Amino acid sequence: MNVTMRELVESFSQSVVMAGRRVLVFPSSAELGPVLAQLVTSRAEKAIGSHGRFTLGLSGGSLVSMLSKELLALSELDCSKWLVGFCDERLVSFDDPESTYGLYKSQLFSKINIPESGILTIDCSLPVNECAEDYTRKLKEVFPDDDFPVFDLLLLGMGPDGHTCSLFPDHPLLEETKKIVAPISDSPKPPPQRVTMTFPAVNSARCVAFISTGGSKAPVLKEVLEDGEASPFPAARVVPTKGELFWLVDEPAAASLTIQVERPGSGAKL
């Protein structure tokens, strides 16, 4: 194969990878937020119309306050048929400020009409290995027909080190292929004990959306989005098998990108 043909094949391969994802850039998180809320509610409406419920997987960090603010601003939000799980969770008590569930409970769950049975929490009283097994059992109960749970929508973040969920660079869990939820006792980011969805679980979702903001993310975001499978960063391994993939980012995070992106504005509908 001559150089020209190889370049054509590589270009085609990159276009195929990019065809399955959309990168949307907003001036700031203030414009991004309403589009995130619209994505959630549109996928909820679609899922409830299709199979009677909406399954949503949540991540923590800055996503908690953004999502809570934007969803609570919607006047006719109905969460009575929502089922919410967590993409990862820290093994701390629910009243600990590090608890993702605890943050969502105070900022969102206590203010919407989601039934208590619609929130799948970890059992933080268990040792980390047993906690992961227990959460796997809970997911299997609500997704009885799936080898890996097929969430309607997963919302993910990405750290400045390129991690997502609690899947960190160079960690053995990156190669896990059989478990739905895995324990981690040596998280490089405290607290050290956590449980996390694995890549096979994440990539089984019908739709995955990354929310990434701030200039500290720019160098890693460039590698994740432009190097594809060659990237060493865990976030680059999120490629839904049959689902949609969105990256919702602000201008500071997108500052280093050279790929083609969409700049749809705050009124965009996804």
Side-chain angles (χ1 to χ4, degrees):
M1 182 183 290
N2 60 40
V3 173
T4 303
M5 182 60 73
R6 183 166 64 245
E7 289 175 346
L8 284 172
V9 171
E10 290 174 351
S11 176
F12 175 75
S13 298
Q14 185 179 27
S15 68
V16 170
V17 171
M18 292 180 63
R21 89 176 175 217
R22 292 175 64 184
V23 180
L24 297 95
V25 179
F26 301 87
S28 70
S29 59
E31 286 85 5
L32 188 160
V35 179
L36 170 61
Q38 189 277 328
L39 175 64
V40 172
T41 55
S42 69
R43 292 307 179 273
E45 183 179 1
K46 179 180 178 182
I48 293 167
S50 170
H51 43 268
R53 69 177 186 179
F54 172 52
T55 52
L56 173 66
L58 296 175
S59 300
S62 59
L63 180 63
V64 180
S65 57
M66 178 187 291
L67 186 64
S68 300
K69 173 189 173 185
E70 299 298 342
L71 288 180
L72 292 175
L74 303 176
S75 58
E76 298 182 1
L77 183 67
D78 181 3
C79 306
S80 60
K81 295 181 180 178
W82 288 24
L83 179 72
V84 172
F86 294 90
C87 301
D88 68 325
E89 179 61 285
R90 293 88 177 266
L91 196 61
V92 295
S93 64
F94 292 152
D95 58 0
D96 189 296
E98 292 282 359
S99 169
T100 299
Y101 164 70
L103 292 172
Y104 274 109
K105 182 180 181 182
S106 63
Q107 296 185 37
L108 180 62
F109 298 153
S110 61
K111 302 173 184 179
I112 58 177
N113 66 330
I114 187 169
E116 192 171 330
S117 60
I119 305 171
L120 302 178
T121 61
I122 66 166
D123 185 341
C124 56
S125 69
L126 296 173
V128 67
N129 287 353
E130 293 176 31
C131 181
E133 292 173 0
D134 178 69
Y135 205 61
T136 297
R137 178 186 57 77
K138 290 176 179 177
L139 288 175
K140 285 184 174 180
E141 285 179 356
V142 296
F143 294 95
D145 301 324
D146 304 319
D147 292 333
F148 290 94
V150 180
F151 277 85
D152 294 307
L153 176 62
L154 297 182
L155 299 181
L156 302 181
M158 182 186 72
D161 62 352
H163 86 269
T164 190
C165 300
S166 285
L167 299 165
F168 293 92
D170 302 318
H171 195 280
L173 279 186
L174 300 184
E175 310 308 323
E176 176 60 55
T177 60
K178 295 181 180 180
K179 292 180 179 178
I180 295 172
V181 177
I184 177 170
S185 300
D186 56 352
S187 166
K189 182 180 179 182
Q193 291 194 326
R194 303 159 175 241
V195 297
T196 182
M197 285 189 191
T198 61
F199 282 121
V202 170
N203 285 328
S204 295
R206 292 186 176 91
C207 182
V208 177
F210 274 95
I211 294 84
S212 189
T213 60
S216 66
K217 309 290 178 64
V220 173
L221 187 66
K222 177 179 175 62
E223 287 200 44
V224 167
L225 294 181
E226 298 187 3
D227 292 355
E229 292 181 5
S231 170
F233 298 111
R237 298 196 186 197
V238 176
V239 183
T241 309
K242 298 178 181 177
E244 303 170 283
L245 176 60
F246 292 94
W247 280 84
L248 308 182
V249 305
D250 66 1
E251 286 286 2
S256 300
L257 295 180
T258 59
I259 58 171
Q260 186 172 355
V261 300
E262 301 175 55
R263 287 185 164 81
S266 60
K269 297 188 181 301
L270 302 179

